[in-house]
Amino acid sequence: QVHVVESGGGLVQAGGSLRLSCAASGRIFGINVMGWYRQAPGKQRELVAAITTGGSTNYTDSVKGRFTISRDNAKNTVYLQMNSLKPEDTAVYYCKSVVVTTTRLEYDYWGQGTQVTVSS
């Protein structure tokens, strides 16, 4: 059993910053990819940023230059530093881990989400 838990969301003013954290725990052999998605009410969930075990990163165009994803492989933890936040960044942010379990099978595990609200 694998659990993924996010933290760090909250209410900030436009131009402010937040740092999200996500930790995976359980019967984990390894984690190939960790990433952040977000979903606003009535909209589709979208990929925000992702990072591989080797450190390769990918960002959606709207957050490039403002958000930074990082990873601590030893702690099975991923972070998302969000700077220069805009009202359009308001969404529930979800962490996803592509996990290789102790049975050597790969699955996607999702956290329950953390709310980020940016006021103007």
Side-chain angles (χ1 to χ4, degrees), residues 2 61 66:
V2 175
D61 287 343
R66 300 189 297 121

Side-chain angles (χ1 to χ4, degrees), residues 47-64:
L47 174 68
V48 178
I51 186 168
T52 68
T53 302
S56 297
T57 59
N58 189 34
Y59 299 90
T60 191
D61 287 343
S62 64
V63 308
K64 289 180 179 177

Side-chain angles (χ1 to χ4, degrees), residues 12-16 38 62-64 66-67 83-91 93 116-120:
V12 298
Q13 293 183 340
R38 66 186 180 188
S62 64
V63 308
K64 289 180 179 177
R66 300 189 297 121
F67 292 9
N83 298 326
S84 301
L85 283 162
K86 304 175 181 180
E88 49 263 45
D89 295 318
T90 296
Y93 283 69
V116 172
T117 302
V118 185
S119 62
S120 60

Side-chain angles (χ1 to χ4, degrees), residues 14-105:
S17 298
L18 285 173
R19 180 177 170 87
L20 306 183
S21 299
C22 170
S25 61
R27 300 185 183 275
I28 299 171
F29 178 78
I31 302 178
N32 292 330
V33 182
M34 300 187 78
W36 290 96
Y37 292 71
R38 66 186 180 188
Q39 187 169 24
K43 298 182 179 179
Q44 294 183 342
R45 187 173 298 185
E46 65 172 347
L47 174 68
V48 178
I51 186 168
T52 68
T53 302
S56 297
T57 59
N58 189 34
Y59 299 90
T60 191
D61 287 343
S62 64
V63 308
K64 289 180 179 177
R66 300 189 297 121
F67 292 9
T68 302
I69 189 169
S70 60
R71 177 173 177 172
D72 185 337
N73 291 335
K75 297 181 179 180
N76 292 328
T77 300
V78 66
Y79 307 93
L80 186 67
Q81 179 66 46
M82 304 186 295
N83 298 326
S84 301
L85 283 162
K86 304 175 181 180
E88 49 263 45
D89 295 318
T90 296
V92 177
Y93 283 69
Y94 297 91
C95 178
K96 185 180 81 171
S97 296
V98 181
V99 175
V100 178
T101 69
T102 53
T103 61
R104 306 299 194 272
L105 298 177

